[in-house]
Amino acid sequence: PPPASAAPPPPSGPSSEAEVEGPLRCISKAEYLALKNEFKALVEKQRALLSTNARVAPGDKAAKNVRGVVCKAAGIPVGTIREEFKKFLCSYQPVAFVEYVKSHTEGFVRFTTPEAAAQALKMIEQRPLVYKDSPVSLTMLTVPEEDAYWKRVKATNREHNERRVLQLEPRAASAP
């Protein structure tokens, strides 16, 4: 074995930048700044796409900030699965989204159009809404309630989108 005081052998790696392979490489400051600006532009583009809801397809059924489509549902059985409840409600009229937490008995139902919401309420007047042996009531939100609802939805979506952008940033930064 070599003596403990002996210097380590000189590195036998590549002698120039061109020979370096793998995730690390040396670049000039100008190239670094260009890549940094490209990355910043990409992040800003993603933020703009997310904040304008560009991910929603043109034919998507989700009603966005339309008055008269949101109803409050009360009497939902605890433990109800949101998608099953949505399918049940679709037997009355097309539903865009059901906002509901399993441990609660109240939630919100967004119909695809104001006409669909009005028609569903009319149908429920004629035939009461009973889901899993539990009577469920639907009531249209008042204008102030609906404004507060959409404001909360918009804030929640903005926070969600900002978290998504932040999750994208480290991945993009590690790309060559």
Side-chain angles (χ1 to χ4, degrees):
S5 62
S12 60
S15 59
S16 72
E17 292 177 16
E19 296 177 35
V20 175
E21 291 185 24
L24 298 178
R25 62 185 176 120
C26 295
I27 58 174
S28 68
K29 185 172 183 177
E31 187 179 356
Y32 164 78
L33 292 173
L35 287 171
K36 180 179 172 185
N37 289 335
E38 182 181 335
F39 171 72
K40 283 183 176 180
L42 176 67
V43 168
E44 287 304 314
K45 182 179 175 183
Q46 288 295 323
R47 281 191 177 132
L49 286 174
L50 293 172
S51 67
T52 59
N53 292 324
R55 294 178 298 151
V56 176
D60 193 2
K61 295 179 184 178
K64 298 289 181 190
N65 296 325
V66 177
R67 286 208 189 276
V69 297
V70 184
C71 292
K72 185 173 185 171
I76 303 168
V78 174
T80 296
I81 297 171
R82 186 171 52 97
E83 287 303 315
E84 289 178 4
F85 188 57
K86 180 180 175 183
K87 281 182 186 178
F88 170 75
L89 291 171
C90 282
S91 67
Y92 287 86
Q93 286 294 318
V95 173
F97 189 76
V98 173
E99 185 178 334
Y100 164 74
V101 178
K102 273 187 175 182
S103 62
H104 296 177
T105 59
E106 294 183 346
F108 295 95
V109 177
R110 282 188 242 165
F111 289 92
T112 54
T113 64
E115 294 79 20
Q119 186 66 29
L121 290 173
K122 190 180 288 186
M123 291 172 72
I124 291 168
E125 283 178 11
Q126 297 169 358
R127 185 181 86 198
L129 185 62
V130 178
Y131 182 71
K132 294 187 177 180
D133 298 327
S134 179
V136 177
S137 66
L138 284 183
T139 54
M140 187 67 68
L141 296 183
T142 64
V143 172
E145 290 173 330
E146 197 167 9
D147 288 343
Y149 171 83
W150 285 118
K151 185 176 180 180
R152 183 180 52 78
V153 166
K154 189 174 183 179
T156 301
N157 287 344
R158 187 178 327 111
E159 290 170 11
H160 174 73
N161 291 340
E162 287 172 0
R163 281 194 305 269
R164 282 186 48 121
V165 168
L166 292 175
Q167 289 172 354
L168 289 175
E169 289 177 358
R171 285 188 217 136
S174 64

